[in-house]
């Protein structure tokens, strides 16, 4: 009986081959395999691109966070500037006042120095005049010359 079934199968195969049925079946099987292969390649490509997409999305997220942080820093900076602006103005006024005070002191010191130099010149001139015009009585002139510097230093 097995031989009869095998003979029937072979005959049926020959009929299918002759009719072209087997060829169409082989073609359809090949097409199915090709489609499966293409789908597998597409999935493989998608899986390969997926990490890239994940990385790109993470990079976008980081960039957005950085932009938000930058904006936060800018807002904080403007708030700090608003807070310190009056303090800066006060500090500027204080430094200006100190500079003016120092300039006034420098001018006053310069004036005092000029006056002192002027007095020293006058003293030198008097001593020079007194030595140039010595009277015959040298003792009287020496006592007068000695009394002048004492009076000047007393001023």
């Amino acid at each position: 009986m097995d031989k009869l079934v095998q003979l029937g199968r072979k005959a049926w195969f020959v009929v299918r081959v002759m009719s072209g049925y087997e060829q169409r079946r082989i073609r359809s099987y090949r097409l199915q395999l090709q489609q499966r292969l293409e789908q597998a390649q597409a999935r493989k490509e998608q899986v390969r691109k997926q990490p890239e997409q994940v990385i790109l999305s993470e990079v976008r997220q980081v960039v957005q966070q950085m932009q938000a942080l930058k904006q936060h820093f800018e807002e904080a900076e403007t708030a700090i500037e608003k807070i310190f602006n009056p303090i800066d103005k006060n500090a500027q006024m204080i430094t200006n006042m100190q500079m003016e005070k120092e300039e006034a002191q420098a001018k006053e010191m310069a004036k005092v120095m000029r006056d002192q130099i002027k007095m020293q010149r006058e003293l030198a001139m008097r001593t020079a005049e007194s030595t140039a015009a010595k009277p015959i009585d040298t003792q009287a002139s020496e006592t007068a010359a000695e009394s002048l510097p004492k009076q000047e230093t007393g001023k």
Side-chain angles (χ1 to χ4, degrees):
M1 181 90 161
D2 285 336
K3 286 189 177 192
L4 188 61
V5 172
Q6 282 182 357
L7 184 64
R9 282 184 187 168
K10 284 182 185 179
W12 186 247
F13 180 73
V14 170
V15 169
R16 285 189 301 184
V17 169
M18 299 251 275
S19 68
Y21 174 77
E22 196 63 32
Q23 191 175 14
R24 286 189 299 260
R25 187 170 158 221
I26 291 170
R27 282 184 190 162
S28 71
Y29 182 71
R30 197 177 84 223
L31 278 172
Q32 284 178 351
L33 284 177
Q34 190 175 3
Q35 287 174 351
R36 285 183 192 170
L37 183 64
E38 288 174 1
Q39 288 173 354
Q41 286 177 346
R43 275 183 272 159
K44 184 178 177 182
E45 186 71 24
Q46 188 179 13
V47 167
R48 197 186 90 218
K49 284 185 178 181
Q50 195 171 18
E52 292 174 7
Q53 292 171 348
V54 169
I55 291 170
L56 286 175
S57 67
E58 288 178 4
V59 168
R60 284 188 198 110
Q61 227 175 11
V62 169
V63 167
Q64 289 173 350
Q65 289 174 352
M66 289 175 70
Q67 288 173 346
L69 186 63
K70 180 182 175 188
Q71 183 179 4
H72 180 68
F73 279 144
E74 288 174 354
E75 291 172 358
E77 186 178 355
T78 56
I80 290 170
E81 285 179 5
K82 285 180 183 177
I83 291 170
F84 283 111
N85 197 15
I87 296 170
D88 288 342
K89 287 181 181 178
N90 289 340
Q92 185 67 29
M93 286 183 3
I94 291 170
T95 54
N96 286 344
M97 289 172 59
Q98 288 176 344
M99 292 292 280
E100 289 172 1
K101 203 181 275 186
E102 288 176 5
E103 287 176 6
Q105 286 177 349
K107 286 179 183 178
E108 187 176 325
M109 287 177 71
K111 182 180 176 186
V112 167
M113 288 178 72
R114 274 188 252 124
D115 290 343
Q116 192 176 17
I117 291 170
K118 188 176 181 182
M119 286 173 38
Q120 287 176 352
R121 284 184 185 164
E122 287 177 8
L123 181 62
M125 293 285 269
R126 285 183 191 170
T127 56
E129 286 176 5
S130 66
T131 57
K134 268 192 173 182
I136 300 175
D137 188 11
T138 57
Q139 283 184 341
S141 64
E142 287 177 5
T143 57
E146 288 174 6
S147 68
L148 282 176
K150 289 180 184 173
Q151 288 174 357
E152 290 295 324
T153 56
K155 288 184 181 177

